[in-house]
Amino acid sequence: MGGRTAAVLAGLRRGGRFSTQVFAAIARDRILWRVAWRNVWRNGRRTGVVVTAIAVGIAGAVLSMAIQFGMVFQMVETAIATDLGHVQVHAPGFRDDPGLDHRLDDGGRAGGVALDELPQVAAWSPRVRASGLITSPRSSAGIQLIAIEPAREAAITVVSDSMVAGAYLDGDARRVLIGQALADRLHVKVGSKVVVSATDVHGDLAGEAFRVAGLYRTASLEMDRTTVFVRLSEGQKLLALGEAVSELVVRARDRKDAADLAAELGRRLGSEADVRTWRELAPLLVYFVDMFDQMAWIVYAAVFIAMAFGIANVLLMAVFERTREIGVMRSIGMNGQRVVGLVTLESVFLVLVGLAAGFALTGLGLFLLRDGIDLSRWAQGLNALGVSNTITPVLRPADVLAPVVVATITALLAGLWPAIRASRAQPADALRHV
Amino acid sequence: MAILEARGVHKVYETRGVETTAVNGVDLALEPGEFTVLYGPSGCGKTTLLNLLGALDEPTRGTVHLLGRDLGQLSSAALAQLRLHELGFIFQAYNLIPVLTARENVEFVMELQGVPAGDRKARSDAILAEVGLAEMADKRPLEMSGGQQQRVAVARAIVGRPAVVLADEPTANLDSHTASALLDLMLQLNRESGVTFLFSTHDPMVIEKARRRVRLLDGRIEADEREA
Ligand SMILES: Nc1ncnc2c1ncn2[C@@H]1O[C@H](COP(=O)(O)OP(=O)(O)O)[C@@H](O)[C@H]1O
Ligand SMILES: [Mg+2]
């Protein structure tokens, strides 16, 4: 047992010393670089095959990763832009029981004061949130009623920019905004009368007639079907809330600031309020994003494993075919380290050429897709996920780095084994090889 | 003292349980500056013996000494070092590095030896002129005739200033006129530089040119004659 360990250690030490000598040879002998580089171009067809395989593999994987991530990115953005914001403030207990019992009785004034002082805050707005029912002369539907301050809300969510008919909540009293999808279902249009009813803060049923001011359509079909907006004061009146609100929604200057902002706000507001980031507010979304990410990496890994085998196979052949030539080089005085250095350089050059081609192809793909991919044909399904008709690929540094690392390591490993074998055999045996 | 010496050298190949004795007890000593031919029918063991003498293979039995050093005692790194500095090889199939030009092939050895760039240039120019290929310096092997490639191989073998040049049937792929010219070139280099040459052949016309003739048969030395 101890002897075995010692043998393994000695082997590792030998391997380490050998690798150091290989790198020294590569660093010292410029001739190795010249021969290796020219060897890359020697068998045009083989180089073509490897380079194409690497290029297509990388461009395919990186682009599909970018598109998938673009989709996920958009899902998150949609959720944030239509409803979540980056951070929300509620009364303690709201998260477990999101009803009118848990409200900010001061109308969010304390939170507002704190928010106005925080530099990371881009905008904030108070909301009342309740579930209710909307009724038209022809139909009715369960809804999420959200009462907003139109101007403030417009700085946070996209509803004001998503109007497809009529107008955003303007000066007129007793107006509602509903989604296009809901309007279709209720058979109403701009100007139609609807009745919104809900249970008020005392537990009594309350109802009020409104006119449809406008119809919106967002990337989220779910929202378009269920969310109805009214003015804050009218919502408060309907629900007998006085000046109380359900939540403050906050938009940070940068999405990455959300956690810091929430922490700072939480410190300032103490136990009076429950401050949460979008991640905490939408755990399902986060879970979905993570899952998507993992799935993408599995696909990525599969592509790379396939690519690695391809590269390895070609490199093995390339070295094997040249056994005799390696024998010649050894007979005129190249030592094992130099032979391994040469073959390693050759493999790495080959893969680098492939990578260059791959990134050129990726760049071309990104350029062609710069205006996004139009998915309107499948958009119905995607809208349900909160993804719009057009997806813009998003490239992350890791997506670029991963193929470089994988391909280079593959090249090293795939080139190394036959090189070491070639450097170990008696030169005479290699010379006899045809 | 002999520059390269084989003592009781045997080489037995084993392929699928069948043993072939390719070299069967050879004693051979090359003196400095000798120009020796190793001849005999195909399969008599010429290539095997040259490989053993050139540190490209290990004898099954017996020893080979180069410049007084027992090759059997040396590490593979030390053997590579000896091949680089003390031995030159010429092969039947020329075996130039195909991606390098004539000059680069010649300079390759010197680069491995660590000769400074300026010296390399001067020496490769001189040797290419000597073998009559000054004009072909920037051509790659595939752009040259067989005779030209073999002359580059000769230049490559000698440019590193080895003690011994070993050539395994260097003229076998050449027509008789070119073969004769190549031999004359090797003889000339041998006279000028004093490098010891040992080459194998089965071409009678080429055998004529050597000053020492060693005949090999079935892995044994049958005859060893020196010209007076
Ligand atoms: N690697 C090998 N394995 C088995 N037998 C071999 C091998 N190399 C040479 N031989 C045999 O050894 C003998 C001598 O071969 P070789 O040295 O090539 O002779 P020559 O060069 O004179 O033609 C032949 O019978 C040949 O078949
Ligand atoms: Mg032979």
Side-chain angles (χ1 to χ4, degrees):
Chain A
M1 193 64 195
R4 189 121 158 233
T5 313
V8 168
L9 282 178
L12 283 177
R13 240 190 325 269
R14 243 191 339 269
R17 195 160 53 231
F18 186 79
S19 327
T20 315
Q21 288 166 345
V22 168
F23 283 116
I26 290 175
R28 189 184 51 230
D29 300 334
R30 284 230 317 281
I31 186 78
L32 296 185
W33 293 68
R34 198 182 314 155
V35 174
W37 179 248
R38 291 189 193 168
N39 274 341
V40 169
W41 302 107
R42 199 161 135 194
N43 188 330
R45 224 186 53 171
R46 178 168 51 218
T47 303
V49 168
V50 176
V51 167
T52 308
I54 297 176
V56 170
I58 284 188
V62 171
L63 277 180
S64 71
M65 200 76 168
I67 291 167
Q68 287 187 33
F69 187 71
M71 212 152 106
V72 168
F73 188 78
Q74 213 175 59
M75 243 167 74
V76 171
E77 281 302 311
T78 300
I80 287 172
T82 50
D83 178 42
L84 280 180
H86 292 128
V87 171
Q88 291 187 8
V89 181
H90 294 109
F94 180 88
R95 244 158 61 92
D96 297 327
D97 176 16
L100 296 178
D101 294 345
H102 301 286
R103 54 190 186 266
L104 300 168
D105 281 315
D106 66 349
R109 248 186 299 281
V113 168
L115 282 165
D116 283 337
E117 285 171 1
L118 290 176
Q120 304 100 311
V121 175
W124 64 270
S125 180
R127 286 174 180 165
V128 166
R129 199 185 265 279
S131 44
L133 193 74
I134 191 165
T135 312
S136 75
R138 305 252 318 253
S139 184
S140 68
I143 55 160
Q144 168 95 266
L145 178 67
I146 300 185
I148 57 173
E149 280 187 13
R152 301 192 73 111
E153 184 73 22
I156 296 172
T157 54
V158 292
V159 180
S160 58
D161 299 326
S162 309
M163 305 309 299
V164 289
Y168 189 57
L169 291 177
D170 52 19
D172 292 337
R174 304 238 296 266
R175 298 289 143 133
V176 289
L177 289 183
I178 66 176
Q180 168 93 62
L182 182 59
D184 290 346
R185 179 158 168 202
L186 296 173
H187 302 283
V188 297
K189 39 188 211 294
V190 174
S192 299
K193 230 184 210 175
V194 291
V195 172
V196 173
S197 44
T199 310
D200 72 13
V201 75
H202 309 299
D204 300 328
L205 190 65
E208 185 98 50
F210 290 85
R211 265 184 208 286
V212 176
L215 309 181
Y216 66 82
R217 186 164 67 215
T218 66
S220 166
L221 191 60
E222 165 77 8
M223 165 151 170
D224 295 359
R225 280 193 184 132
T226 58
T227 305
V228 170
F229 292 96
V230 299
R231 218 185 304 279
L232 182 65
S233 55
E234 290 169 358
Q236 285 169 328
K237 191 168 144 244
L238 175 71
L239 300 165
L241 275 170
E243 60 168 16
V245 298
S246 308
E247 67 196 19
L248 298 182
V249 58
V250 185
R251 184 166 192 90
R253 291 194 190 282
D254 191 325
R255 173 140 69 96
K256 291 190 209 73
D257 293 339
D260 282 350
L261 199 165
E264 177 61 27
L265 194 58
R267 246 195 314 282
R268 295 199 182 191
L269 298 179
S271 60
E272 308 285 288
D274 185 23
V275 181
R276 301 283 170 170
T277 64
W278 66 274
R279 294 187 146 267
E280 297 167 298
L281 292 164
L284 212 63
L285 182 66
V286 172
Y287 173 75
F288 199 69
V289 168
D290 288 349
M291 209 175 66
F292 224 92
D293 221 26
Q294 276 164 25
M295 254 159 51
W297 278 103
I298 291 170
V299 171
Y300 228 25
V303 169
F304 281 132
I305 289 169
M307 201 172 79
F309 274 106
I311 298 174
N313 188 33
V314 170
L315 290 177
L316 285 175
M317 295 253 307
V319 177
F320 188 71
E321 265 176 31
R322 291 220 315 278
T323 305
R324 184 186 166 80
E325 191 174 313
I326 289 173
V328 170
M329 290 182 166
R330 293 191 57 203
S331 65
I332 65 174
M334 252 172 91
N335 58 24
Q337 290 89 325
R338 281 168 159 159
V339 168
V340 174
L342 176 69
V343 175
T344 306
L345 269 182
E346 201 175 315
S347 308
V348 170
F349 281 158
L350 185 61
V351 166
L352 287 182
V353 171
L355 282 173
F359 285 123
L361 202 60
T362 308
L364 180 70
L366 288 175
F367 175 75
L368 293 177
L369 298 176
R370 67 195 181 285
D371 295 327
I373 306 162
D374 188 358
L375 294 174
S376 33
R377 269 204 279 167
W378 302 281
Q380 214 40 27
L382 288 170
N383 272 357
L385 297 176
V387 178
S388 73
N389 296 353
T390 317
I391 290 171
T392 313
V394 177
L395 199 62
R396 293 172 299 175
D399 299 338
V400 177
L401 209 62
V404 175
V405 172
V406 173
T408 310
I409 289 178
T410 307
L412 284 174
L413 292 182
L416 220 52
W417 181 73
I420 288 175
R421 229 185 47 149
S423 77
R424 282 235 175 121
Q426 287 290 350
D429 293 329
L431 282 171
R432 224 175 348 251
H433 199 274
V434 277
Chain B
M1 189 197 72
I3 200 163
L4 180 59
E5 186 175 9
R7 288 183 210 144
V9 164
H10 291 252
K11 180 70 184 182
V12 181
Y13 292 112
E14 204 198 296
T15 22
R16 286 180 235 104
V18 181
E19 291 195 345
T20 313
T21 305
V23 172
N24 194 3
V26 163
D27 294 295
L28 179 66
L30 300 182
E31 303 302 326
E34 276 191 318
F35 194 84
T36 307
V37 66
L38 185 65
Y39 69 103
S42 185
C44 71
K46 302 181 293 293
T47 297
T48 305
L49 181 57
L50 284 173
N51 286 345
L52 294 172
L53 291 171
L56 299 178
D57 210 349
E58 277 176 322
T60 315
R61 214 144 31 93
T63 58
V64 176
H65 285 78
L66 174 61
L67 299 166
R69 299 165 75 184
D70 183 351
L71 300 186
Q73 304 297 316
L74 299 178
S75 69
S76 70
L79 290 176
Q81 196 72 359
L82 268 188
R83 287 195 293 267
L84 177 58
H85 291 278
E86 306 299 349
L87 291 166
F89 286 92
I90 302 166
F91 304 94
Q92 176 179 335
Y94 328 133
N95 286 337
L96 299 176
I97 297 171
V99 296
L100 297 181
T101 63
R103 183 201 306 287
E104 288 168 334
N105 262 286
V106 171
E107 288 199 19
F108 188 81
V109 173
M110 291 187 284
E111 290 213 44
L112 296 181
Q113 287 179 333
V115 175
D119 293 1
R120 283 206 305 266
K121 172 90 172 64
R123 277 165 66 179
S124 63
D125 280 347
I127 194 81
L128 284 170
E130 179 118 43
V131 301
L133 288 176
E135 271 87 66
M136 305 297 282
D138 295 319
K139 296 257 187 281
R140 293 211 184 169
L142 282 177
E143 301 167 307
M144 292 185 267
S145 71
Q148 289 169 334
Q149 288 186 54
Q150 199 62 308
R151 278 188 280 159
V152 175
V154 170
R156 178 179 71 180
I158 203 154
V159 77
R161 296 178 180 157
V164 182
V165 171
L166 301 169
D168 190 10
E169 307 213 28
T171 60
N173 288 10
L174 304 177
D175 63 72
S176 62
H177 180 73
T178 316
S180 169
L182 189 87
L183 248 288
D184 290 338
L185 172 66
M186 283 165 54
L187 263 170
Q188 181 195 336
L189 291 169
N190 164 257
R191 262 197 312 272
E192 285 169 4
S193 63
V195 175
T196 309
F197 270 84
L198 174 64
F199 68 99
S200 70
T201 188
H202 55 255
D203 177 352
M205 188 213 54
V206 170
I207 300 168
E208 290 291 293
K209 304 244 181 191
R211 290 192 296 269
R212 181 180 173 189
R213 300 172 195 137
V214 177
R215 176 170 161 78
L216 202 61
L217 193 66
D218 296 334
R220 280 204 185 84
I221 292 182
E222 280 276 309
D224 185 350
E225 306 153 358
R226 281 189 172 85
E227 237 166 45

